[in-house]
Amino acid sequence: MTSNSLAYISTPVKALNDNEVQQLRADTPACENLIHFNNAGSSLMAQPVYQSVLDHLAAEQALGGYEAADKAPLNEFYTTFAELLNAEPSEIAFVENATRAWDMAFYALPLSACDRVLTHVSEYASNYLALMQLAARRNITIDIAPSDSSGQVDVAAMEALITPQTKLIALTHVPSQGGLVNPAEEVGLLAKKHKLLYLLDACQSVGQLNVDVKAIGCHMLSGTGRKFLRGPRGTGFLYVKHDLIESLDPPFIDLHAAHWSAPDKFEWAAGAIRFENFESFVAGRIGLTAAARYAMDIGLARIESRVELLADYLRLQLYSVPGVEVHDLGKKRCGIVTFTKADEKPENIAARLRAVGINISVTLGSTAQLDLGARELPAVARASVHYYNSQMEIDRFCVELQSGWD
Ligand SMILES: *Cc1c(COP(=O)(O)O)cnc(C)c1O
């Protein structure tokens, strides 16, 4: 365990009390008529976040898009995400989603024939597709570290796969298709020991866990706005460590990412801005900034402990619903809960619950071939809880889930 987790023990997290939860629910008007357990798909925006997006759209309508942007505090995006992730503002880029954020880093790496990339079966589908594309295009090799008995990446076995050709570790912190939290900090120590680059997909962890790039030791980290951060759709972000930025060659360029300094010359923009593009969803960026601020005002450690509490309660309740099997792996588990039910397909469960005002999602095995595919799970139902959810909602969910059992 790292010094970070010791600090965590010496300053116990103060749990969110009932009044605070009520306030957070009041900020989330849909709580009145909806049980939203699809926070890993797209969460509900809190009222101040939603309002910040609307306010900027109103300013664009009243003033003009460029004129409204001139008046908006757009740099707060960088300072806010630097604070959220424990990074520097110049290490942060706004990107339209997590996939493109990850791509902007990955395709910028100097990987060539015979280089090897280490990953794990929990890697996100789109990332793995990109790995396969570069395997075909540049002849890189993908090595898949095995899981330990709990299902998380086996760090010792991962180390055993490192060769002189290994250049990169690509890991998904919290997989989309299950509740496990990979030991990102231990992998960070491994990357440091063997001087490997480390690209962390934190799409499902930022916003529900206390994610700190320095404690983890990753060089690049990607995330999205709409999931546990509760920001608007069509927003994402990328962190790239300052001492790495200069050595990366972004796959795309434009007049925002670079300066055309002479007819035959250009210079990249300073810092992580080189991974951005000129045109972006400005109101979305403002909403994403507000969402990160909202999460920090609650406190990420407090969010993490409440999400864990609710998810543990949900798993416990699910064990007593006849025919239900919970599929989450890992030593540490988070707010994503996956399950199947005998005699009822996940698609049916999701549709039936949707009709009574309960949102969950379905993850298909085809989107997680190395994970669900290998476990012979063609599909799982996924209920993902956030801090504004309640035990009462979980109880009602389990009753509705069971009522289809005839
Ligand atoms: C959703 C997800 C992504 C992709 O995020 P987008 O914003 O949709 O591009 C990447 N990684 C993981 C683990 C995800 O769950």
Side-chain angles (χ1 to χ4, degrees):
M1 282 318 222
T2 65
S3 57
N4 189 49
S5 47
L6 289 175
Y8 186 82
I9 290 163
S10 63
T11 48
V13 178
K14 196 159 146 278
L16 288 169
N17 65 39
D18 287 349
N19 284 343
E20 287 172 301
V21 173
Q22 280 318 312
Q23 181 54 49
L24 294 165
R25 288 176 68 79
D27 266 357
T28 311
C31 286
E32 280 190 19
N33 42 34
L34 196 65
I35 296 179
H36 192 69
F37 288 173
N38 193 13
N39 296 288
S42 187
S43 189
L44 302 169
M45 273 187 273
Q47 188 61 31
V49 175
Y50 172 71
Q51 194 59 49
S52 72
V53 178
L54 287 192
D55 288 348
H56 189 75
L57 290 176
E60 287 188 347
Q61 192 190 37
L63 305 173
Y66 287 19
E67 294 75 8
D70 284 344
K71 284 194 153 187
L74 294 182
N75 282 335
E76 279 179 17
F77 167 74
Y78 304 104
T79 52
T80 305
F81 271 80
E83 189 182 333
L84 178 69
L85 301 171
N86 191 22
E88 296 301 319
S90 61
E91 296 174 320
I92 305 292
F94 178 76
V95 189
E96 59 266 39
N97 56 59
T99 304
R100 278 297 171 269
W102 191 94
D103 288 341
M104 285 306 285
F106 175 67
Y107 288 97
L109 295 168
L111 294 172
S112 49
C114 303
D115 285 345
R116 306 181 81 94
V117 177
L118 250 179
T119 188
H120 179 240
V121 292
S122 57
E123 190 64 2
Y124 185 64
S126 298
N127 306 349
Y128 199 78
L129 288 168
L131 291 173
M132 289 194 289
Q133 188 192 33
L134 270 211
R137 188 193 276 177
R138 289 197 210 153
N139 208 21
I140 66 163
T141 302
I142 308 167
D143 292 312
I144 301 174
S147 305
D148 69 11
S149 58
S150 80
Q152 68 176 21
V153 63
D154 184 328
V155 182
M158 182 177 243
E159 181 164 26
L161 288 174
I162 295 173
T163 74
Q165 280 70 46
T166 306
K167 296 287 153 60
L168 173 74
I169 298 175
L171 184 73
T172 291
H173 197 183
V174 169
S176 190
Q177 66 272 10
L180 83 87
V181 181
N182 267 319
E185 296 183 13
E186 288 173 49
V187 172
L189 292 175
L190 195 65
K192 187 173 179 189
K193 180 174 166 196
H194 294 274
K195 297 190 171 61
L196 301 176
L197 291 174
Y198 180 18
L199 169 54
L200 186 69
D201 176 335
C203 195
Q204 294 288 8
S205 51
V206 176
Q208 71 155 322
L209 306 177
N210 197 6
V211 175
D212 176 327
V213 293
K214 293 201 174 74
I216 291 173
C218 57
H219 302 97
M220 298 155 282
L221 175 147
S222 54
T224 204
R226 74 184 184 281
K227 297 181 179 175
F228 285 93
L229 266 178
R230 309 183 66 201
R233 294 199 64 174
T235 63
F237 56 91
L238 174 68
Y239 154 82
V240 181
K241 195 164 182 261
H242 59 91
D243 55 8
L244 182 66
I245 293 173
E246 294 290 317
S247 64
L248 297 188
D249 187 14
F252 304 117
I253 189 167
D254 75 1
L255 68 157
H256 171 79
H259 172 57
W260 194 3
S261 51
D264 60 350
K265 265 177 66 183
F266 73 87
E267 274 96 44
W268 287 105
I273 287 189
R274 71 177 57 192
F275 302 103
E276 296 187 344
N277 52 85
F278 173 81
E279 178 55 1
S280 68
F281 180 25
V282 179
R285 178 198 295 226
I286 289 168
L288 179 56
T289 308
R293 178 56 59 199
Y294 191 86
M296 283 192 282
D297 285 348
I298 301 168
L300 272 299
R302 301 181 80 204
I303 290 174
E304 179 172 336
S305 73
R306 177 159 172 90
V307 170
E308 198 176 297
L309 189 94
L310 287 173
D312 282 348
Y313 180 73
L314 173 53
R315 286 187 197 97
L316 195 68
Q317 297 308 105
L318 280 175
Y319 290 129
S320 51
V321 179
V324 166
E325 205 181 326
V326 174
H327 296 289
D328 299 323
L329 305 175
K331 279 195 192 104
K332 177 175 163 68
R333 294 177 185 182
C334 65
I336 297 177
V337 179
T338 53
F339 62 95
T340 50
K341 189 165 180 267
D343 298 343
E344 189 176 15
K345 285 190 160 171
E347 293 87 340
N348 291 12
I349 299 173
R352 185 165 63 76
L353 293 178
R354 173 90 66 98
V356 295
I358 301 175
N359 294 341
I360 64 164
S361 65
V362 176
T363 304
L364 298 176
S366 59
T367 65
Q369 306 251 2
L370 304 176
D371 183 349
L372 298 181
R375 288 192 268 155
E376 292 178 13
L377 289 165
V380 292
R382 184 182 71 173
S384 44
V385 293
H386 216 330
Y387 56 75
Y388 66 80
N389 291 127
S390 69
Q391 295 200 345
M392 261 166 64
E393 289 179 328
I394 292 171
D395 293 341
R396 158 98 199 286
F397 163 79
C398 289
V399 168
E400 293 289 349
L401 182 64
Q402 185 163 353
S403 71
W405 173 261
D406 288 315

